[in-house]
Amino acid sequence: MKELTLTSISSLPQDILAQTDLEKLTISNSALAIPGSIANFQQLKELRFVGNTNLYLPVEILGLSKTFILFERNTPEHIQLAGQVIFEFQRKKITEPQAKVFLMLLQEQDFDAVAEKEHVIAALDYRIKEIQSKALEKLNEIFPMTETLSENNIVCIVGNTEAFAETDIKPRLKKLNINLQNKISQNATLVVLAKEPKLKLPINDVLITTEDNFYQWINKADKLLLSEKTEANAQAITNVAAMLNSANPANVALALQMMKTNGVSNELLGELLIFINSSKDKTAIRTAKSLFKKFGPKEFITFLEARNHRYYKLLEFYSGDESVYNWLDQHTAIDSLPIVQKLYPALYAKRSKGQQRIDFISKMITNDTLDLSSWGLDEFPDEIGQFDTLKALYFVDSKGNSRNRLQKFPDFITSLVHLEKLDLFGVYLSGSLPESISNLNSLKYLGLPVCDNFPEVINTLTSLEVLEIDLNQLKELPRLQNLIQLKQVIVTEYFFDSEKAEAETLWEQKKAFLPSSCQVIFQKSHKRWSE
């Protein structure tokens, strides 16, 4: 008996391939591609693969019908699984075409998928899970849902669905005037392959697709139907959105039911995201999430799951995360701007343009007052300067907090000539206040920002009645004799007793720099000034 053991090789030597009378061959601890010419070893009684890595097996190996082929301790796992396929083929448990396709699937080899599609379908029910999953991936390539179904077509779903429930799909198909059956009939237009169909399918006489491809198609069909640009339908979408945003739970429930029955357009997908991230109705939120999972882009859910902290639940996200809105714009047909407007209004002022931006700013103004403290921006739209009737502009809230990240003094402020209150207290700015701040000749209150140097330009604000500063600014306070209307200097700091005493001493030194009628107020924390 001619025996040969090959160890640590990267290819079969040509002289070995010429030995057609070889009876026993062992290949161990190697990484190589077995050539198709191995089928020439017809006298081979035993072929062993032991401890190999990255082994490539050609389908021609199935031609060694009289050879005992053994696999031991090979990696990765798919090599050992390939051994099981060969073993079952030699015992006639699977056919040769099936075995070829199974080997190709395991090793992710390219092959004529259309010619072999019945064997790829058979792989869905094969006992090796890795072959099942790879077969499903291959079938998604083989059976794209490129055909458009017509009215009265018949769809048959075979196997166990995972992406959707048939009870949900049936009314959606009915809306498209398409029938659903659980068994394949002679009149079937389309067969949808779900998990483990366990049926012999009429491959050549009917359209076939996979569950995932069919689900993508019906979602697009739903959206196309719902998004037709007719006046009646546009009004219907508006009405559903209004009901979803209603304070009446009955209206919300009706809106969700209408979407469940009729499908969800891109506009309504955006409304669902707003509802999920703003509503307090847990039951309605669960329904809304279910609808988004059915009709919305799965990739968005995956995106959120990859970036979200475990604190956030399904389809919930931090409203100030601009990257979420960017992702929607780049990867979906969902318009993020209405979502931004509802969930993060300040960002809407930054992302909107033209009249949209102006209209938004106008809505944010109440009683000639604009509060920017919660906007969380590093720069503000210049269009604010168009609202020259503003009398109060706040960059910090009533407690001295601000989400903004200003780096320089916003130029538009000096256009607001009727401004009476400007609160920038505690906001850090590079440089100082511009000379043009002298345009604010109606200004009565100024919460001074933290600048590189004390801005002496405020000596031109002759209408100023109240100036709020911190302890360090008090130390730098220059002569402000021009501020003849100044009534109060508010020194705000979180005082320790020693600092309070220091501040009082400083005031005795500095009060000569101010009009004689000016008084000082010491306070631990910022309070919004009112006359």
Side-chain angles (χ1 to χ4, degrees), residues 372 377-380 395 402-410 412-413 424 427-430:
L372 305 174
L377 300 181
D378 50 12
E379 60 182 63
F380 289 82
F395 286 86
S402 176
R403 293 178 60 189
N404 300 312
R405 304 174 296 278
L406 281 177
Q407 296 179 354
K408 65 176 185 176
F409 185 84
F412 66 80
I413 293 178
L424 284 157
V427 175
Y428 286 82
L429 299 179
S430 61

Side-chain angles (χ1 to χ4, degrees), residues 40-56:
N40 295 333
F41 292 155
Q42 290 299 313
Q43 302 302 315
L44 197 64
K45 296 181 179 179
E46 185 175 304
L47 174 59
R48 289 179 176 268
F49 297 103
V50 182
N52 298 291
T53 58
N54 297 322
L55 196 64
Y56 169 81

Side-chain angles (χ1 to χ4, degrees), residues 239-304:
N239 291 342
V240 172
M243 287 190 293
L244 186 65
N245 291 311
S246 169
N248 187 335
N251 287 342
V252 173
L254 180 58
L256 294 171
Q257 183 58 46
M258 290 175 68
M259 283 188 271
K260 187 174 182 180
T261 303
N262 299 317
V264 183
S265 67
N266 287 320
E267 294 95 326
L268 292 177
L269 283 174
E271 293 292 340
L272 283 176
L273 280 178
I274 294 169
F275 183 81
I276 290 167
N277 285 276
S278 60
S279 175
K280 303 298 183 184
D281 187 336
K282 294 183 179 180
T283 301
I285 288 174
R286 283 196 295 270
T287 303
K289 288 181 176 181
S290 176
L291 283 167
F292 195 98
K293 285 174 65 179
K294 289 180 182 178
F295 295 100
K298 295 181 180 179
E299 297 84 358
F300 180 62
I301 297 174
T302 303
F303 165 77
L304 286 182

Side-chain angles (χ1 to χ4, degrees), residues 416-482:
L416 306 174
V417 294
H418 296 289
L419 207 60
E420 296 179 359
K421 303 174 185 178
L422 175 60
D423 194 353
L424 284 157
F425 180 79
V427 175
Y428 286 82
L429 299 179
S430 61
S432 190
L433 300 184
E435 295 292 328
S436 56
I437 199 173
S438 61
N439 295 341
L440 305 182
N441 49 30
S442 298
L443 197 65
K444 296 181 179 180
Y445 165 84
L446 174 62
L448 197 66
V450 179
C451 302
D452 292 345
N453 298 297
F454 194 99
E456 296 190 25
V457 68
I458 67 172
N459 208 20
T460 64
L461 300 174
T462 55
S463 296
L464 200 65
E465 296 180 5
V466 178
L467 175 65
E468 184 170 358
I469 59 178
D470 63 24
L471 180 59
N472 289 326
Q473 289 169 331
L474 178 61
K475 295 176 182 178
E476 300 174 359
L477 188 72
R479 291 188 178 273
L480 300 175
Q481 293 288 359
N482 290 347

Side-chain angles (χ1 to χ4, degrees), residues 269-418:
L269 283 174
E271 293 292 340
L272 283 176
L273 280 178
I274 294 169
F275 183 81
I276 290 167
N277 285 276
S278 60
S279 175
K280 303 298 183 184
D281 187 336
K282 294 183 179 180
T283 301
I285 288 174
R286 283 196 295 270
T287 303
K289 288 181 176 181
S290 176
L291 283 167
F292 195 98
K293 285 174 65 179
K294 289 180 182 178
F295 295 100
K298 295 181 180 179
E299 297 84 358
F300 180 62
I301 297 174
T302 303
F303 165 77
L304 286 182
E305 288 175 344
R307 67 179 290 99
N308 271 356
H309 188 274
R310 61 185 179 183
Y311 173 78
Y312 294 100
K313 298 178 182 179
L314 177 68
L315 289 170
E316 296 176 8
F317 55 89
Y318 169 52
S319 62
D321 188 348
E322 193 168 356
S323 66
V324 174
Y325 309 116
N326 291 338
W327 195 97
L328 284 171
D329 289 336
Q330 294 169 11
H331 300 280
T332 74
I334 301 173
D335 184 4
S336 72
L337 202 57
I339 304 173
V340 172
Q341 185 176 10
K342 295 287 184 65
L343 297 185
Y344 193 4
L347 184 60
Y348 181 82
K350 178 179 178 181
R351 294 170 72 99
S352 59
K353 297 179 181 179
Q355 193 60 43
Q356 277 186 323
R357 177 182 287 180
I358 293 171
D359 291 344
F360 170 76
I361 296 171
S362 178
K363 291 178 181 178
M364 301 298 290
I365 296 174
T366 304
N367 298 326
D368 294 326
T369 298
L370 180 58
D371 188 342
L372 305 174
S373 61
S374 63
W375 283 33
L377 300 181
D378 50 12
E379 60 182 63
F380 289 82
D382 291 335
E383 286 85 350
I384 294 176
Q386 298 181 25
F387 296 88
D388 55 5
T389 59
L390 277 174
K391 292 185 178 180
L393 185 63
Y394 299 115
F395 286 86
V396 295
D397 65 18
S398 59
K399 295 182 179 180
N401 300 314
S402 176
R403 293 178 60 189
N404 300 312
R405 304 174 296 278
L406 281 177
Q407 296 179 354
K408 65 176 185 176
F409 185 84
D411 293 335
F412 66 80
I413 293 178
T414 58
S415 301
L416 306 174
V417 294
H418 296 289

Side-chain angles (χ1 to χ4, degrees), residues 222-247:
D222 277 345
K223 292 171 188 175
L224 182 63
L225 181 68
L226 194 61
S227 301
E228 290 176 350
K229 298 302 181 180
T230 64
E231 182 177 349
N233 193 61
Q235 186 60 46
I237 292 175
T238 302
N239 291 342
V240 172
M243 287 190 293
L244 186 65
N245 291 311
S246 169

